[in-house]
Amino acid sequence: MHVLEARRHGIEYGVEHFVDAQGTAWWLKVTNEDATDFRLLARPVGGGWWREIVAERPGSRLDGVDAFSSFLALSERENGCAALRLVKLLPGDDPFGDLLARSTLVEGGAFPNTVGISSNPNFETSQVRVLITSLTTPRLIADVVVETGEIIVRKQQKVLGGYEESEYVTGRLWVETK
């Protein structure tokens, strides 16, 4: 076992390990240190300083990161809903660059909805398996092609007695309080 950082009161963090296309091993750290809604840091496994690669975005909470050979999957909470953001890594010595500028949010259909990462056992893949559901969309498992954003439905929950999604609506009302 290797301790990356000693525990500190009030500081949460989770780490992910990956090896980029150049063979450099990295630690990725999602933390609330100096960031109420969390931020993403990176550093080479051999040591060095943590470098911020996704800054805190107030109102958009970063919950986790999953690393694949050519992209990262960022689990977030956007407008109170679980969301998934995919970002392709760059070739060369710095695979990160401006991650958010290159990222895409996986579409979840009717809002409000939940889009979350599912089981993805393969590091070398061009697709990511996701779970999508909403108040009007029965839970489905799909693969998202990272390059194109195409969503390929693999399995969808059956609704007994028949169901026509277009016959239902969903929404959210925000109310300000004093």
Side-chain angles (χ1 to χ4, degrees):
M1 180 168 84
H2 178 77
V3 176
L4 288 176
E5 290 187 19
R7 291 183 188 207
R8 292 180 285 152
H9 180 73
I11 302 297
E12 298 176 37
Y13 73 89
V15 294
E16 174 82 348
H17 176 265
F18 92 106
V19 178
D20 67 21
Q22 302 296 320
T24 303
W26 294 87
W27 290 115
L28 301 175
K29 178 172 75 167
V30 174
T31 182
N32 69 336
E33 183 177 5
D34 301 324
T36 302
D37 285 327
F38 290 73
R39 62 192 181 129
L40 180 61
L41 308 174
R43 82 170 196 206
V45 167
W49 299 99
W50 287 106
R51 176 178 118 205
E52 184 174 79
I53 57 174
V54 175
E56 176 185 24
R57 293 170 293 137
S60 180
R61 182 183 168 114
L62 180 59
D63 286 332
V65 61
D66 288 274
F68 297 88
S69 63
S70 62
F71 67 94
L72 300 178
L74 305 176
S75 296
E76 305 179 344
R77 294 207 63 83
E78 189 74 38
N79 293 315
C81 297
L84 189 68
R85 182 175 300 278
L86 302 177
V87 57
K88 291 178 252 177
L89 295 169
L90 299 171
D93 293 336
D94 181 7
F96 308 113
D98 188 352
L99 289 177
L100 291 180
R102 296 190 321 277
S103 70
T104 57
L105 208 54
V106 176
E107 295 298 323
F111 183 81
N113 57 45
T114 296
V115 178
I117 193 160
S118 188
S119 177
N120 288 277
N122 297 324
F123 177 72
E124 296 281 343
T125 184
S126 61
Q127 300 179 5
V128 63
R129 181 138 304 167
V130 299
L131 179 139
I132 301 172
T133 189
S134 78
L135 295 171
T136 60
T137 307
R139 184 177 61 191
L140 64 89
I141 302 294
D143 289 335
V144 178
V145 180
V146 175
E147 191 65 36
T148 64
E150 177 188 6
I151 296 176
I152 305 165
V153 176
R154 299 297 184 194
K155 182 178 181 179
Q156 187 162 20
Q157 181 181 15
K158 298 279 188 223
V159 178
L160 296 176
Y163 169 76
E164 182 57 49
E165 185 174 349
S166 64
E167 295 178 9
Y168 298 88
V169 295
T170 184
R172 177 182 287 167
L173 298 175
W174 293 96
V175 179
E176 290 187 29
T177 62
K178 292 185 179 190

